[in-house]
Amino acid sequence: MKLNNYKITFTLFILSLAFTLKAQNSDPYTFPIRPNKTNFLSGTMGELRSSHFHAGIDIKTGGKIGEAVHATKRGYITRIKVSTAGYGNALYMLHPDGNTSVYAHLHEFDEEIQKYVKEEQYKQQTFEIELFPEPYQFSYKTQEVIGVSGNTGGSMGPHLHFEIRDSQQRVLNPLHYGFKEIRDNIPPILQGLAIRPMNEDSKVENEFKRQNIPYNRTGFNYTVEDTINAIGEIGLELWGHDKLNGSANKNGISIIEVNVNNELQYRQNIDVMSFGLQRHILVHYPYDVKITSGARYHKLYVDDGNSLKYYDTKNENGTLNIKNGEVYNISIKMLDPYGNTSKLEMVIKGEQARSRLDKSIDFELDELEYMVDDDYLKIYAQSNCNDDAEELNLNFDKKIKSINPSYYLDSVAVYIWSLKKGIPTSILNCEKGMSINPIKQIVPYSETSISESNMDISFSKYSLFDTIYFQTDYEIITKDSLEIFSLNPRTSPLKSYIEIELSPQLNHYDEEKSHVYKTDDTGNFSFEGGEWNNGKLKFSTRELANYTILSDTAPPTIKPNGNLSYIIIDNLSGIASYEAHLNGEWILMKYEPKDDLIWVEWPDTPIEKNGEFVLKVIDNAGNETEYITKL
């Protein structure tokens, strides 16, 4: 009887599943731009952007604004957002299957939505707005026009950003929905390969150093001709892109597989994306490489602090443990959503590292130099001591530890010390000594406060992905009257904010107009903000970098541009707000920061359009410009 009940239940389940699939097939998703015609993409799911994985797809619109945007499936609008950043003008549509489609960077919405949005903008007296209409207030059938494409928000050129999200608002890959408008028979393309030693006992080509590996290409297959010598735990890193037919854009690679001696070692598939974990991209790619070179590699291993669910690994983290005398045949496959595949093959042989290398360092060395490299202290010393004096002394508060060179680069001895074993205060080699800028170990999930003479830093429980070895520095650039407050290591990412309180030594600041700015090696400044209290300036940041204090006393400029439009520019702190009135009544101004352009958008209801027009623009330092004219 129980077996019969099971059979009946299973049969009903199969019938229900078949009915569901038939219903979905009878109301399939359709392409939102030029349905049933060939289309091209400029962006795909999972591309590695600076601070996030790209969600959904970017559909080209021929470099122009105004392409009709069609509902991908019947449904109704649940959310409308107008913003000068991010998705710009965006619509969110709920469908009967529980999924939501997203249409971003629109130029305008459908007429009825546009009218509703403008009424709410005038009612709330704001251009940027987020609205949640009633169910079925704006409902559409499949392929009905819901708006026109544009270039609003964070868009870098005209296109439609399109997503499909499930009932949990996780982003799904739209290219799995059978859109025949997109064609792709081009396999992914390799751009770079690197191998990284993962601890002080590991070496790649005899060095404790990340090594770029040369390779040859034949069609869409790649080979590393020379056998790579390595020992210990290592991690593979890959840089590449995918192309689609008819487009020169370099798109992302969502699926990568690593096989070692015909066994799966690592697999990633960026196919379902959670917005809550987007910042974890900073530990998916090698952050140090991105910061120093701009290249965004995929780590083909799962680093500490990475909570993404994209991975399947043979061991805990996907790294390779290379043993002496063993040979590892490695195959790396890159796949796109259409099944196009390219492959790289190489051989790694386990071999104990040689101690002396006929190779020079790539920087100028006096006699003694050190650097903090992730969890390690790397020390370089000119090898000019007697043999019995080649060891290096690490001085701690109450003890001295002597270590031998890890290897030699020509006449330079290289020493490796794991900071997990202790943090020295100075080093001594061949009677040449050097103090070490104080290093503080900061661990995740622990509140930590550091007090220095020029700044105080507070880490929350959630500031870090992984343990960092933190240093600060301070200098005054006299010729520019600038104080530089440095937070290091810049090659380590922050998961969430840290609080910084600066104690300036210079006294020329107007506190009402002076704020924190991030600065880089080329002399660029970007506004960070901050608040003064008792002569100290407090701000928060999610980036270890160099910061300074600048005073902005110059107000924004307003320049008429014809047809009730204006160019508004601020040269330092940036535009904070704007507001316009006609005869004392609030007037909607649309704003496109990319073009520094602001323009009048009259209400749909009849109003007097003559009289005194006042446009007020305020920058982030509180400087204000008022433009008055007669209409």
Side-chain angles (χ1 to χ4, degrees), residues 382-417:
Q382 287 289 353
S383 178
N384 53 11
C385 311
N386 297 324
D387 288 341
D388 59 353
E390 280 290 69
E391 62 184 19
L392 176 85
N393 289 331
L394 302 174
N395 300 318
F396 300 85
D397 287 338
K398 295 182 179 179
K399 64 178 181 180
I400 296 175
K401 173 72 175 178
S402 297
I403 59 174
N404 292 314
S406 180
Y407 52 91
Y408 293 86
L409 299 174
D410 281 344
S411 62
V412 175
V414 182
Y415 302 84
I416 310 296
W417 175 255

Side-chain angles (χ1 to χ4, degrees), residues 111-139:
E111 185 177 346
E112 288 301 310
I113 299 176
Q114 196 74 24
K115 181 179 178 182
Y116 164 72
V117 170
K118 190 189 294 187
E119 287 176 356
E120 290 297 322
Q121 288 172 320
Y122 267 94
K123 187 185 296 182
Q124 299 182 34
Q125 296 192 355
T126 178
F127 168 58
E128 295 193 284
I129 198 167
E130 186 171 18
L131 302 169
F132 299 91
E134 294 295 323
Y136 298 101
Q137 185 174 348
F138 302 106
S139 59

Side-chain angles (χ1 to χ4, degrees), residues 29-315:
Y29 287 83
T30 61
F31 209 67
I33 294 286
R34 298 183 296 273
N36 303 314
K37 295 182 180 179
T38 300
N39 274 267
F40 305 98
L41 304 184
S42 59
T44 56
M45 181 88 164
E47 287 178 9
L48 306 185
R49 303 292 171 88
S50 289
S51 60
H52 64 280
F53 296 92
H54 184 256
I57 58 176
D58 289 340
I59 306 169
K60 292 190 175 188
T61 57
K64 66 180 187 296
I65 291 168
E67 278 284 350
V69 176
H70 303 263
T72 186
K73 191 183 183 82
R74 65 188 174 94
Y76 62 85
I77 303 299
T78 58
R79 181 183 176 197
I80 306 166
K81 191 166 184 180
V82 176
S83 174
T84 57
Y87 283 8
N89 298 338
L91 293 176
Y92 299 73
M93 177 181 285
L94 179 65
H95 304 291
D97 60 3
N99 287 348
T100 294
S101 56
V102 182
Y103 313 80
H105 308 306
L106 300 176
H107 181 63
E108 287 185 343
F109 306 126
D110 176 45
E111 185 177 346
E112 288 301 310
I113 299 176
Q114 196 74 24
K115 181 179 178 182
Y116 164 72
V117 170
K118 190 189 294 187
E119 287 176 356
E120 290 297 322
Q121 288 172 320
Y122 267 94
K123 187 185 296 182
Q124 299 182 34
Q125 296 192 355
T126 178
F127 168 58
E128 295 193 284
I129 198 167
E130 186 171 18
L131 302 169
F132 299 91
E134 294 295 323
Y136 298 101
Q137 185 174 348
F138 302 106
S139 59
Y140 296 88
K141 297 176 182 177
T142 303
Q143 292 196 2
E144 283 192 316
V145 175
I146 60 174
V148 296
S149 66
N151 187 30
T152 57
S155 169
M156 300 303 291
H159 72 281
L160 175 71
H161 176 87
F162 175 67
E163 297 174 13
I164 298 175
R165 302 182 184 180
D166 66 12
S167 59
Q168 300 177 53
Q169 292 299 299
R170 296 178 302 183
V171 183
L172 311 175
N173 194 337
L175 295 183
H176 291 320
Y177 283 80
F179 295 130
K180 296 179 181 179
E181 290 84 353
I182 301 300
R183 296 179 182 178
D184 181 11
N185 60 11
I186 305 172
I189 296 169
L190 181 67
Q191 291 176 267
L193 175 70
I195 305 178
R196 183 188 297 263
M198 303 301 289
N199 57 53
E200 71 268 34
D201 297 321
S202 307
K203 302 287 190 302
V204 178
E205 294 294 337
N206 302 297
E207 288 190 76
F208 181 71
K209 176 184 177 182
R210 179 183 184 272
Q211 302 273 6
N212 289 308
I213 306 300
Y215 54 85
N216 295 322
R217 174 178 175 177
T218 305
F220 289 98
N221 290 312
Y222 306 84
T223 54
V224 175
E225 282 195 357
D226 296 331
T227 297
I228 305 299
N229 295 320
I231 197 73
E233 185 183 4
I234 63 170
L236 306 179
E237 298 174 358
L238 180 145
W239 179 29
H241 68 271
D242 188 35
K243 284 190 174 182
L244 292 88
N245 292 28
S247 176
N249 293 81
K250 295 181 178 180
N251 303 124
I253 303 173
S254 56
I255 303 173
I256 304 175
E257 294 179 353
V258 179
N259 285 277
V260 179
N261 295 334
N262 295 317
E263 277 192 74
L264 182 67
Q265 178 77 17
Y266 168 95
R267 186 177 193 272
Q268 72 171 47
N269 186 4
I270 309 174
D271 235 17
V272 179
M273 188 179 299
S274 172
F275 281 103
L277 294 175
Q278 278 282 53
R279 193 166 174 82
H280 284 246
I281 191 174
L282 302 183
V283 284
H284 172 86
Y285 63 58
Y287 188 79
D288 57 341
V289 178
K290 188 261 180 184
I291 288 294
T292 53
S293 73
R296 297 173 196 141
Y297 282 69
H298 294 267
K299 293 177 182 175
L300 304 185
Y301 53 93
V302 185
D303 219 340
D304 292 342
N306 186 347
S307 298
L308 294 166
K309 308 300 181 185
Y310 302 150
Y311 316 109
D312 181 19
T313 60
K314 179 182 177 182
N315 57 20

Side-chain angles (χ1 to χ4, degrees), residues 447-496:
E447 293 182 354
T448 304
S449 295
I450 296 173
S451 184
E452 304 286 356
S453 59
N454 302 107
M455 66 187 99
D456 295 315
I457 307 100
S458 297
F459 292 81
S460 78
K461 291 181 179 180
Y462 309 106
S463 294
L464 301 180
F465 290 104
D466 193 12
T467 298
I468 66 170
Y469 291 88
F470 181 71
Q471 293 178 295
T472 65
D473 201 2
Y474 171 83
E475 67 171 321
I476 295 178
I477 302 177
T478 307
K479 65 183 180 68
D480 297 321
S481 294
L482 283 182
E483 298 179 80
I484 305 296
F485 303 84
S486 299
L487 308 177
N488 293 301
R490 280 184 271 178
T491 52
S492 291
L494 294 180
K495 183 178 180 181
S496 187

